[in-house]
Amino acid sequence: MGNHHLFNSEAVDISQNDTWHVLTTNDLPDGIALTHISLLEILQKQEKLDVLLPLSDLLDTKGNIAGGLLQEVYELLAQHVSNLGVWVTSNSDTEVLTRIPEFLLQQDLIVINVPVFTDGRGFSFAQTLRQIGYQGEIRMAGKFGRDQIAYLLRAGADSFMISEHDLQSISDISQAFNALASSYDGRNAADLPMFADA
């Protein structure tokens, strides 16, 4: 999966404590989780693990949770894992999230993968998940920018997968988590209305 580190919302590296594995698939992007695992390994293990599945593989052509054999496989997996989560790529339709709120609310972790730096839909995905009532962990992965971290936190993200390469180019990662400007009178910008009278 490459060399990545997991940071919580306080800019603390929590990689050593992360228990999540991502199911290996043909379309698995780098950096969704620190470790990956095959379906066969999951079914053969005695211990129950925390496993992330690709949301796109669980949907039918209309964007609803698929039934039939796929539903049976999902239920089989649920019996062999401790916690289940999903990962979604931000270049898919945000309306998918609003069509399946009940399913998403059951997930222990949702990872939003940002495929390209210029894709700002990760903000919308995090915000939409919070608006539908999701209270679990939202983790950002992929090609989000260091200067976007504070804004992603404001949108609802809780944790961030950051590559070793990106970390080497940052002198102090904690600054990225506190990059929102404050007003001149010392009030926190997060407490201010978007358009305030001068």
Side-chain angles (χ1 to χ4, degrees):
M1 295 299 308
N3 293 323
H4 287 77
H5 295 267
L6 177 62
F7 288 86
N8 67 12
S9 61
E10 305 296 318
V12 175
D13 189 333
I14 57 171
S15 303
Q16 297 295 328
N17 301 326
D18 188 53
T19 59
W20 287 93
H21 298 70
V22 64
L23 181 67
T24 304
T25 63
N26 290 336
D27 300 326
L28 179 62
D30 191 35
I32 296 295
L34 297 172
T35 55
H36 57 88
I37 191 166
S38 72
L39 180 57
L40 186 59
E41 288 174 304
I42 293 170
L43 298 177
Q44 290 177 340
K45 278 198 174 286
Q46 294 295 324
E47 64 180 309
K48 292 186 173 186
L49 303 172
D50 299 334
V51 178
L52 287 164
L53 306 173
L55 180 61
S56 61
D57 287 358
L58 301 174
L59 302 176
D60 62 20
T61 56
K62 294 180 181 177
N64 298 310
I65 298 299
L69 181 59
L70 196 53
Q71 180 67 28
E72 291 178 25
V73 170
Y74 179 79
E75 290 170 4
L76 176 67
L77 266 172
Q79 295 171 14
H80 285 82
V81 301
S82 179
N83 293 299
L84 270 174
V86 295
W87 64 268
V88 60
T89 300
S90 65
N91 64 1
S92 57
D93 187 358
T94 53
E95 286 185 23
V96 168
L97 302 181
T98 59
R99 280 199 294 268
I100 56 168
E102 298 84 13
F103 176 80
L104 293 171
L105 294 176
Q106 297 171 12
Q107 305 308 305
D108 296 298
L109 170 66
I110 298 176
V111 177
I112 302 170
N113 178 51
V114 179
V116 292
F117 176 75
T118 56
D119 188 347
R121 288 174 284 190
F123 296 97
S124 298
F125 271 57
Q127 193 170 41
T128 298
L129 287 168
R130 294 303 183 204
Q131 287 172 346
I132 64 172
Y134 182 71
Q135 296 181 4
E137 181 181 348
I138 297 175
R139 183 176 295 177
M140 300 305 298
K143 302 195 182 327
F144 57 87
R146 162 197 184 287
D147 58 333
Q148 297 173 326
I149 291 175
Y151 296 98
L152 287 164
L153 282 166
R154 183 187 263 182
D158 299 297
S159 58
F160 301 83
M161 291 289 290
I162 301 175
S163 73
E164 182 74 36
H165 176 268
D166 289 342
L167 276 179
Q168 289 176 356
S169 66
I170 301 170
S171 60
D172 183 6
I173 187 64
S174 64
Q175 290 178 351
F177 286 74
N178 300 303
L180 293 178
S182 295
S183 67
Y184 290 114
D185 66 0
R187 291 183 294 167
N188 186 321
D191 298 331
L192 295 173
M194 190 170 290
F195 299 102
D197 294 332

